Structures are given as structure tokens and as C-alpha cells.
Amino acid sequence: MEDQNALFDLPNNSDQSRPADAASVSAATGTDGDGVESLAEQVKRLHEWVQETETGDRDDLVPGVSEKAWRQVSLSKLECLGTGCPMIDDCFPDNAKQTAFESDIVVTNHTMVGIFSTGSPNVLPEFSSIIVDEAHELVDRVTSAATSELTIGAIDHAARLARRNGGVSTGSLDHAVENYGLALAELPEQSFPQGLPAEAQYAVEAIRDASREILTQLKPKKDGESTDTGLKVAQAAMLQIFEICERIAANDASRDVLWCSRPRFNSEEGMQRLNIAPLSVNGLLSTNLWGTHTGVLTSATLSLGNSFDPVARSIGIDHSLNPETGVARAWSATDAGSPFDYPKQGILYIAKDLPTPGQSPTTESQLDTIAELITAAGGRTLGLFSSRRAAELAAEAMRERLDVPILVQGEDQLPTLVAQFSEDEETCLFGTLSLWQGVDVPGPACQLVIMDRIPFPRPDDPVKAARTRAIAASGGNGFMQVSATHAALLLAQGAGRLVRSINDRGVVAVLDPRLATARYGSFLTNSMPNFWTTTKKDVAIGALQRLSEAQ
């Protein structure tokens, strides 16, 4: 159940669309001269699909469409008219929500659990127990749900709604937004633990005060006077702007992380903005989810470094108190084992002789090793990279050196790419974070998993950097609790892509010598499946060659 976007059969010229990123626009308009489906053709196909689909789920559309095409026929959450919409009977998200509220058992996703955990209980029906699969992702999902951003586009949109549906003047807000844009242009892309510079602080406070004034004007003039749907939409949009500004203006560094960013996308979404996220979500989970519900959490990677404590601590159940009773929560953990014989089914090859990865996405020595490994495997490779740029560069190099098909994440919808990868044993698939988790390709199509480096969080990740500083300030080991734990989860998930059945065999190759040489290396390897381990490349290549010859 997903209520973030509602799919409707709107005219092709809907003004709800926003520009897609440059790559999507190129693909959507067919500007490469290769007969790529045009934007109009994609929208037409969407109109036909919406008459057939029962879910409206974008993942069910194969082949997929560009972001720009999708936005032509969809509405954002703020633009949703709710129960007053004349198309409410055909609304996919609303139908899913109504079905859920009438059900005894509801199957939903982490996003909805994240929204619920941030203090929005009405997104889910009442429940007493919850089972969370892939529970290692819960912290990131709740963090994402609790993160807000203040963009010029969102403020302008709220102002338009207020003028159109409420008939109010937004002059003071427009002036404040102009000053906000000027202040943003001077801000570096960094976090602000000590508060915003004065100009930016004043600009945010001015937007807060102006939005509060407009909210007052949008209220019904008389007691008991009904509010039409358009006015409700305007109120909701303006209230969201006010609440974000109030949170940013307060800038409580003990609770929130505040930073400035410029996403690398199109002209509007690429504009600089302020972002604010919770420093920790264990309190939100402890209060809103575990306070009144019994939980069962499952995952192949709940135990890190042979201990459940890191994950338990991060999700708010490690020695935390029940807010209602003041009594420490009871929890227990069980390692149910695995049906796989990892030491016999897989080899972990650590490229100890390669140089430690630096700022460059890839190195020649890495590319040479990747080519040797793929050649020995006869294709059959899932390449997990730390960045999109690294995946693209590696794919470009392998396409020049090798005679096997190379797919790259972003060239099509992920389910389509995974299906192509699984159907052709010689095909290789390269990608980033989405491929590290959840890809299930049993059999000979995946006999080599390559990881280009230990997946530590980016050093400029403001939330994880702030969490590291906070833990260190309280006397803990911020690196181990944040960066190493993050890397351990991804390594365990990535390595788990190799063995998906009792008949699978292959090699996991980590092209980062720190896994064998650094002090934290044992914590990371103990979090991974217990494959037979070697640092000798010829051993890994020999095993891959024998597997390839046996096919």
C-alpha cells in the first residue's frame, strides 16, 4: 500500500508534470536517434496500461517509462483532493487503503511503517502485532520518512494554491522566498550543527512568519462554515511549509541534523535546498511502534559481528524503557541458521594485493581484475559498486574489453534488467545500492559477485556524520557504531546475492584490501556468510573457470 503518488488518467498536457533529469529527457524524447520511445508514446502507453492494471503500481509496468512521462499522469500527495475527488472510486492508493482497513492481515511496505513511526498513525489500520521483514532497513526507512526539505519550488506551489483556492495575497511570502533563494546561493553544501548563517536564518524565519499569516487568512471566516476541497489542499500545503520552517528555524542540534544540498538533477529539482532529519530514530520507534505493539523482526543480517546488539540499539529496543510502564522492554534474538553450506558453496576472495580505493571511482588495476574474473566466469556476474559513476565506468571498460553483454542499472527499470540478467547466463549486471539488497537470481546466471570497495557511507553524508559525532561525544565509538555497521549490513546483503539455493556455487570478490588488513576487517567479515576465504586471485579464477566449464 503506497499513498505517495496517485495515478490518474489525465490529459497529456497536464500541468502537474515536472521536468525529468537530463538522461530521462533524452531517452523520453528519442533524441539519440535510435528509435527510442518518445514522451508522447510513453504517455499513450500509460493511458492504455491504466485501463488494464489492477494496482497502479509503477513496478508492474514493463517496460518502464521515464520520470517525466510518469509525472504527466500522476499527482503528488499535496495535489491529492482526498475524499472530495470526483475520481476517488478509481484511485489506486485510496482503494488499497480501504482494502487494508477492512482486512485482518495487512501486507505493506517499509515506507508506510516509516510514516507510521514518525507519528502519523492513520496511515495504517489498527493493529496489535507487526512482522518486519528485512528489518535491517528499518532505520533508514524511518529516517527517510522523518526527513523534510525546504525547496523554493514547494513554497511557490503552496503560494499558488493559496492564491487560487483561498483568494489571499502572498506578497510577503513571495518576498521572503526571494530572499531565501539569495541566501541559499551563498550557502555551502554542508551541515550546520551550530546553526545557519544569519541571512539564511532570517530568510527561513520570514517564510515561517509569512506562511503562518497566510494560514490564518485561509481559515473559514465564520464558525461552522464548511471548507471546500481546494481550500483544504491550500491549507495542507501551506501548513507543511510552516512546520518545516519552524523545525529548521529551531535547529535543535541535539535532535535534528540540518544541512544544505543541491541534488544533481534537472533545473528545478537541482536547485539548492535545506534539509532536516532526525539525529536518531530509535526514540521514534521506541515510542510510536514498540510502545504499544509486539514486533517480530526478521532478516538475514540482523546479527553483525556475531551480535544482535548493534541493530537492536539502532531500532530502539536495546534496553529501552516502555514509555507507558517505565519498564525495560523484553526482547530476545535467535539465529535460525541457514539451509546453505556456505564454506562449500562459495569462496570469498579479498583482493589483498590491490591498492586501497581512493577518490577515483575506479582504477586500472581494479578494471584489470574485474576483466579477469568475468572472463573466468564466462559472464554470470553481478557487479555491486559504491557509486553510479563507478558502475558506469566499469561497464564502459568491460564493454570495450570483453565479448559478453553488460547491463547497467538506470538503462531500464530494475525488474526488467534483473529479468534479462537471469535469463542469459553470459550477461553481467552492474549497479549500485538497489542491487546490493533484494536481488534474487538463483542458478548459474549469477556465479560471481563483485564488490568494488567496502561500502562505507559517504564522508559527506550529513546524517551519518552527525550520528558519528554524537556517539563519539558521548564516549562511544562512532566509526564502529555508524560507518562500520552500515558497511557490515551492505557487505552481508551483497554477499548474500551469490547463494540463493542449495545448488548455487560461486565466488564473492571484494576488491578492497582493507577487508583483510584493517582492524575492523574481522567485524565486517564476521557479518558476512562464512564462505571459504582466500586472498589469492588465481584460486578464485581457477574456481570460476571450473564452474564455467561445468555448465
Side-chain angles (χ1 to χ4, degrees), residues 314-371:
S314 68
I315 62 174
I317 64 172
D318 184 27
H319 308 302
S320 60
L321 298 180
N322 187 311
E324 295 185 356
T325 65
V327 178
R329 242 179 222 101
W331 69 279
S332 61
T334 300
D335 186 344
S338 170
F340 306 135
D341 189 347
Y342 286 118
K344 292 184 178 180
Q345 291 186 248
I347 294 174
L348 171 61
Y349 162 55
I350 304 173
K352 188 177 179 180
D353 294 333
L354 287 180
T356 300
Q359 294 183 347
S360 175
T362 59
T363 64
E364 280 302 314
S365 55
Q366 267 193 341
L367 295 175
D368 290 343
T369 300
I370 292 172

Side-chain angles (χ1 to χ4, degrees), residues 25 39 53 79 83 145 160 169 189 259 307 319 327 412 433 445 458 511 524 536 542:
V25 172
L39 176 62
T53 177
E79 293 162 330
T83 56
R160 286 196 300 272
S169 171
E189 293 186 70
W259 75 98
S307 172
H319 308 302
V327 178
D412 204 332
L433 186 60
R458 290 168 54 99
L511 309 184
L524 300 179
K536 297 180 179 180

